[in-house]
Amino acid sequence: NSHDYLEVSREVLKTEKKVAIAEAMQLTEAESPAFWSLYNEYNEKMYVINTKLFDIIKDYSDHSKHEFPHRYR
C-alpha cells in the first residue's frame, strides 16, 4: 500500500541524506554529537508533520475521485 512504499522511500532517503550531510559538514568529534542530536530531533518532528500532510493529501485524493468522477475518466 502507499504507506509501506512511503516508509521504504523515507528510510532510503534518510540514510542517503545523512551520508551526504556528514560528508558536506565535516564535523569534528566535538561538534558531531550536538549536531546529530538536533538534526534527529528536527527530523522526528518533520516526520510527524509530513505524515499528516501525506494523509490529508491522500484522503483528499480518495474522496475527490468519488465526489468528482468526471475528472478521473
Side-chain angles (χ1 to χ4, degrees), residues 1-15 47:
N1 76 32
S2 57
H3 275 283
D4 293 339
Y5 177 77
L6 179 64
E7 288 306 313
V8 170
S9 298
R10 280 178 164 172
E11 285 302 313
V12 169
L13 291 173
K14 182 169 116 179
T15 301
Y47 175 89

Side-chain angles (χ1 to χ4, degrees), residues 15-73:
T15 301
E16 292 175 357
K17 185 177 173 185
K18 274 190 151 181
V19 169
I21 290 171
E23 289 175 5
M25 297 288 291
Q26 298 183 359
L27 299 168
T28 66
E29 285 185 37
E31 297 168 327
S32 189
F35 172 80
W36 289 112
S37 177
L38 289 172
Y39 176 87
N40 290 332
E41 181 181 340
Y42 169 80
N43 276 300
E44 288 169 11
K45 291 178 181 180
M46 289 305 299
Y47 175 89
V48 172
I49 292 167
N50 287 326
T51 299
K52 288 178 183 178
L53 179 61
F54 176 82
D55 290 341
I56 289 167
I57 292 169
K58 181 152 180 13
D59 185 58
Y60 175 80
S61 174
D62 291 346
H63 286 93
S64 65
K65 288 177 184 175
H66 300 292
E67 293 173 25
F68 307 104
H70 60 281
R71 292 184 183 172
Y72 299 94
R73 288 188 193 155

